[in-house]
């Protein structure tokens, strides 16, 4: 009888322990379920907030950048205040008399040339800068055909004057190239938005245009004629985003005919000279680094606009 009582009591305790254990497990599971549900809701809220912030920031950038449409075509001023830095040689006749005009050479006079701009023209302005993105080096090329400028060339007195250049930087479109420029990797509309919104801020009307106002021309030879190529240095004031800095362009000028000239010009500047910073570089960004300097290039064809002196 006593043994049976002990057995019954043991069974009761065992059943009671199982019930307590089951109840505890059930409570723990319910707690975990409630906690997971709360974490899930919290995660959804965090993701939603991040998405809203990201979308909102993109919308904000889009507002700053605008649609990239230009307000007008480029229209550089046709003024020529710079002087040719050369000892202009006087014409010499066969008898050695200086300042005598060789009557055998037909006078060409002075010709004003204007750069052909827009999509139908052969002229363009570019920037080239190196960056490392995802650990791979790229060359970023930005291009616009909205470039205008002018030249005043005196073929008799052998002088070259250069007028203002104007560039619509809002029209710049970029692409990424291999560093040897052999292959295009991708065009980047998102980078274009950042350029218009933050880097050049060309989405703002007051920063839509950049100008280069020449102050001097050096390296012009003492004599030249149609068909020659002149390698000259063009000094002047470059204005980007409202900040002006003096730069020297190395220019190759081809005197193709009385009706047309062509050429290229290039210089290298530092971003900091124009108070420009590049965002989203380093740290957790996909862009590991960007060069401090940028190469600026002009490629142009200019046709005769006016002629005088004949």
């Amino acid at each position: 009888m006593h043994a049976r009582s002990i057995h019954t009591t043991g069974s009761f305790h065992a059943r009671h322990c199982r019930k307590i254990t089951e109840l505890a497990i059930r409570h723990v599971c319910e707690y975990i379920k409630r906690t997971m549900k709360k974490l899930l809701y919290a995660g959804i809220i965090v993701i939603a907030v991040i998405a809203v912030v990201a979308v909102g920031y993109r919308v904000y950038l889009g507002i700053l950048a605008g649609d990239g449409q230009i307000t007008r075509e480029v229209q550089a001023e046709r003024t020529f205040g710079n002087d040719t830095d050369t000892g202009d040689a006087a014409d010499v006749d066969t008898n050695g008399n200086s300042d005598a005009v060789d009557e055998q050479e037909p006078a060409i006079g002075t010709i004003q040339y204007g750069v052909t701009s827009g999509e139908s023209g052969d002229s363009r302005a570019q920037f080239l800068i190196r960056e490392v993105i995802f650990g791979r080096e790229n060359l970023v090329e930005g291009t616009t055909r909205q470039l205008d400028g002018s030249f005043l060339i005196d073929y008799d007195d052998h002088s070259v004057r250069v007028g203002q250049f104007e560039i619509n930087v809002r029209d710049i479109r970029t692409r990424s190239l291999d560093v040897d420029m052999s292959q295009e990797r991708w065009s980047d509309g998102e980078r274009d938005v950042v350029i218009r919104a933050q880097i050049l801020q060309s989405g703002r009307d007051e920063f839509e245009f950049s100008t280069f106002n020449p102050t001097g021309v050096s390296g012009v030879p003492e004599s030249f004629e149609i068909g020659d190529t002149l390698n000259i240095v063009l000094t002047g004031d470059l204005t980007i985003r409202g900040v002006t800095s003096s730069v020297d362009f190395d220019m190759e000028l081809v005197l193709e005919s009385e009706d047309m000239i062509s050429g290229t010009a290039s210089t290298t500047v530092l971003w900091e000279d124009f108070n420009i910073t590049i965002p989203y570089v380093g740290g957790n960004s996909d862009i590991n680094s960007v060069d401090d300097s940028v190469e600026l290039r002009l490629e142009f064809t200019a046709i005769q606009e006016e002629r005088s002196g004949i």
Side-chain angles (χ1 to χ4, degrees), residues 111-116 122-123 151 153 155 225-228 253-263 300-305 307:
I111 301 177
Q112 177 177 311
Y113 298 91
V115 171
T116 58
D122 297 324
S123 306
F151 297 83
I153 300 180
Y155 287 94
E225 60 186 11
I226 297 296
D228 287 350
L253 188 62
V254 183
L255 309 178
E256 298 195 24
S257 69
E258 295 179 17
D259 297 322
M260 183 178 73
I261 61 175
S262 63
F300 56 86
T301 297
I303 59 176
Q304 183 182 143
E305 292 181 333
R307 186 169 185 168

Side-chain angles (χ1 to χ4, degrees), residues 117-136:
S117 63
E119 293 302 320
S120 60
D122 297 324
S123 306
R124 60 183 177 175
Q126 290 183 310
F127 74 77
L128 294 168
I129 188 170
R130 291 176 182 265
E131 69 174 8
V132 177
I133 184 169
F134 297 118
R136 185 176 182 181

Side-chain angles (χ1 to χ4, degrees), residues 72-292:
R72 64 169 175 82
E73 297 286 328
V74 282
Q75 298 174 344
E77 296 177 0
R78 296 300 196 255
T79 56
F80 305 93
N82 51 84
D83 294 320
T84 298
D85 182 12
T86 178
D88 289 343
D91 293 315
V92 179
D93 67 8
T94 55
N95 295 319
N97 297 319
S98 64
D99 297 322
V101 176
D102 186 351
E103 296 180 356
Q104 301 301 317
E105 296 182 3
I108 297 177
T110 301
I111 301 177
Q112 177 177 311
Y113 298 91
V115 171
T116 58
S117 63
E119 293 302 320
S120 60
D122 297 324
S123 306
R124 60 183 177 175
Q126 290 183 310
F127 74 77
L128 294 168
I129 188 170
R130 291 176 182 265
E131 69 174 8
V132 177
I133 184 169
F134 297 118
R136 185 176 182 181
E137 189 174 13
N138 297 313
L139 188 65
V140 178
E141 175 192 81
T143 304
T144 175
R145 292 191 177 276
Q146 285 292 318
L147 168 69
D148 189 30
S150 57
F151 297 83
L152 191 67
I153 300 180
D154 190 328
Y155 287 94
D156 298 332
D157 289 340
H158 305 110
S159 66
V160 176
R161 294 188 177 186
V162 184
Q164 180 191 69
F165 274 81
E166 184 178 65
I167 304 167
N168 192 315
V169 293
R170 179 181 294 178
D171 188 61
I172 289 175
R173 299 296 182 267
T174 62
R175 60 177 183 160
S176 294
L177 306 168
D178 286 326
V179 291
D180 60 0
M181 301 184 69
S182 62
Q183 181 178 355
E184 179 178 350
R185 290 182 177 168
W186 66 81
S187 299
D188 198 340
E190 186 172 342
R191 181 189 282 114
D192 297 345
V193 169
V194 173
I195 287 174
R196 294 197 304 270
Q198 295 178 292
I199 299 176
L200 297 181
Q201 298 181 12
S202 54
R204 298 168 56 178
D205 289 345
E206 64 266 37
F207 298 145
E208 181 180 358
F209 297 92
S210 288
T211 57
F212 176 70
N213 290 294
T215 56
V217 182
S218 60
V220 178
E222 294 182 348
S223 65
F224 55 79
E225 60 186 11
I226 297 296
D228 287 350
T229 296
L230 311 183
N231 291 295
I232 60 179
V233 176
L234 188 60
T235 300
D237 297 325
L238 177 64
T239 300
I240 302 175
R241 214 179 70 175
V243 178
T244 301
S245 181
S246 179
V247 301
D248 293 330
F249 275 93
D250 294 319
M251 178 175 287
E252 181 179 271
L253 188 62
V254 183
L255 309 178
E256 298 195 24
S257 69
E258 295 179 17
D259 297 322
M260 183 178 73
I261 61 175
S262 63
T264 60
S266 64
T267 189
T268 300
V269 300
L270 298 175
W271 287 117
E272 63 182 18
D273 290 343
F274 298 92
N275 297 335
I276 293 174
T277 57
I278 310 297
Y280 318 122
V281 177
N284 296 323
S285 173
D286 298 332
I287 304 175
N288 306 120
S289 64
V290 176
D291 275 5
D292 295 329

